[in-house]
């Protein structure tokens, strides 16, 4: 039995290698470069996926706020305000601010971890907006701030907290807190870029955050403090934030404090955001 070339599969026409490469790499077929917003949102989604794969990260925005609210309400409520119910009305906005602000350090920790693992070196090779990885981490952590705020408000409502400002006042207070926390996170992002380990980032952030949060009007009125301590409390940005959030939840809308907080957000973002970008570009 004889075989001929006609019985074989049809021959594939020969295409020179150069023409093949040119067809694959044709400029018209390249995907468009992602915009700065699109790249930042993508990295923000990456930050949220970390929570999905390691849900233990949510303990800091769920278990910790619940513990703080219960502990300080029932430990100091009777002594400071005469009843836990009366003290809860004063304490809860402050505890919400304290809990959310203290979680802002995890942005710097996440950045430092990515740098140590070499992940940021890979990001720099991508044709994307260079700050997208940093901004994405900040956007992803907004979910933490909202979860912590929601957890505290739910626990407070169960315990008897009744905001006079209603739903609108509560939402406005949470929104102002989230905006401030986003701006405040730039500080720890900057530290995450030049400190050597994530433990160093956490240690430095705690060194600054504990005085800022405890030496404020979170737990008591500053009028009960010594004069030298009142001077610090009065210029403490956390004090202004707590006062603004309390006013919003009470339905009084203190425009002076709200304006002060928004201006401080702009200043922190302008200063520490700029410093962070310079460190990131030089690293």
């Amino acid at each position: 039995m004889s075989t001929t070339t006609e019985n074989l599969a049809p021959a594939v026409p020969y295409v020179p290698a150069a023409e093949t490469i040119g067809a694959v790499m044709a400029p018209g077929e390249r995907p468009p470069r992602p915009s700065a917003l699109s790249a930042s949102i993508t990295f923000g989604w990456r930050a949220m996926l970390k929570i999905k794969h390691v849900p233990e990260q949510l303990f800091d925005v769920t278990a910790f706020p619940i513990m703080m609210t219960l502990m300080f309400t029932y430990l100091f409520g009777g002594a400071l305000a005469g009843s836990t119910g009366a003290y809860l009305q004063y304490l809860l906005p402050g505890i919400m601010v304290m809990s959310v602000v203290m979680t802002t350090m995890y942005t710097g920790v996440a950045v430092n971890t990515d740098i140590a693992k070499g992940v940021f070196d890979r990001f720099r090779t991508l044709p994307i907006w260079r700050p997208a990885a940093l901004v994405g981490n900040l956007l992803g952590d907004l979910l933490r701030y909202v979860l912590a705020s929601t957890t505290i408000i739910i626990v407070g409502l169960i315990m008897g907290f009744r905001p006079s400002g209603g739903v609108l006042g509560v939402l406005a207070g949470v929104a102002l807190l989230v905006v401030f926390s986003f701006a405040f996170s730039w500080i720890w992002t900057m530290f995450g870029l030049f400190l050597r380990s994530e433990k160093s980032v956490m240690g430095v952030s705690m060194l600054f955050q504990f005085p800022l949060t405890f030496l404020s009007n979170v737990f008591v009125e500053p009028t009960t403090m010594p004069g030298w301590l009142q001077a610090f409390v009065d210029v403490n940005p956390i004090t202004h934030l707590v006062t603004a959030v309390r006013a919003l939840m009470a339905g009084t809308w203190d425009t002076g404090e709200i304006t002060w907080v928004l201006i401080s957000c702009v200043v922190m973002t302008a200063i520490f955001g700029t410093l962070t970008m310079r460190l990131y570009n030089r690293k």
Side-chain angles (χ1 to χ4, degrees):
M1 181 177 178
S2 61
T3 58
T4 62
T5 55
E6 288 79 7
N7 296 328
L8 300 177
V12 178
Y14 170 74
V15 179
E19 296 180 12
T20 304
I21 296 175
V24 174
M25 300 297 293
E29 296 182 5
R30 292 181 180 178
R33 181 173 180 172
S35 64
L37 178 61
S38 175
S40 299
I41 292 176
T42 300
F43 280 105
W45 179 247
R46 171 181 175 267
M48 288 188 287
L49 287 178
K50 291 181 180 179
I51 299 176
K52 175 183 177 182
H53 294 293
V54 188
E56 293 84 1
Q57 298 181 35
L58 293 179
F59 288 164
D60 294 319
V61 294
T62 53
F64 178 74
I66 293 173
M67 180 185 67
M68 294 287 287
T69 305
L70 294 173
M71 182 175 66
F72 283 102
T73 299
Y74 293 113
L75 188 62
F76 299 120
L80 297 177
S83 67
T84 56
Y87 187 57
L88 181 64
Q89 298 299 124
Y90 177 86
L91 176 70
L92 190 132
I95 282 290
M96 185 177 72
V97 169
M98 178 181 176
S99 300
V100 173
V101 167
M102 292 189 73
T103 62
T104 57
M105 66 177 178
Y106 289 105
T107 303
V109 172
V111 170
N112 186 274
T113 302
D114 284 341
I115 292 174
K117 292 181 178 179
V119 177
F120 267 63
D121 293 332
R122 299 181 182 180
F123 292 159
R124 286 194 182 95
T125 64
L126 299 176
I128 57 174
W129 185 51
R130 286 183 63 84
L134 296 177
V135 177
N137 276 323
L138 293 170
L139 293 177
D141 280 342
L142 294 181
L143 176 63
R144 289 178 176 272
Y145 309 149
V146 174
L147 284 176
S149 303
T150 304
T151 300
I152 292 175
I153 291 172
I154 292 175
V155 172
L157 291 174
I158 294 173
M159 295 171 62
F161 176 69
R162 297 295 180 266
S164 302
V167 176
L168 180 60
V170 172
L171 292 178
V174 172
L176 183 64
L177 175 56
V178 170
V179 171
F180 180 88
S181 299
F182 177 83
F184 199 61
S185 297
W186 282 108
I187 301 176
W188 317 125
T189 305
M190 182 189 68
F191 281 116
L193 285 173
F194 67 81
L195 292 178
R196 296 184 178 181
S197 66
E198 60 183 65
K199 292 182 180 179
S200 301
V201 178
M202 295 182 68
V204 171
S205 63
M206 286 295 182
L207 181 65
F208 284 97
Q209 289 196 44
F210 266 94
L212 285 175
T213 53
F214 280 91
L215 301 181
S216 67
N217 61 344
V218 169
F219 302 103
V220 295
E221 287 287 352
T223 53
T224 62
M225 303 176 186
W228 60 270
L229 185 55
Q230 287 187 39
F232 174 81
V233 173
D234 289 341
V235 298
N236 187 346
I238 302 300
T239 299
H240 293 279
L241 176 61
V242 172
T243 303
V245 172
R246 278 200 182 110
L248 288 171
M249 290 189 170
T252 56
W253 293 72
D254 189 333
T255 55
E257 293 292 347
I258 294 172
T259 303
W260 196 101
V261 172
L262 293 177
I263 292 174
S264 67
C265 291
V266 174
V267 172
M268 284 190 294
T269 303
I271 295 176
F272 294 103
T274 302
L275 292 175
T276 300
M277 290 299 103
R278 288 185 178 180
L279 286 171
Y280 179 63
N281 290 329
R282 294 177 182 179
K283 199 166 184 64

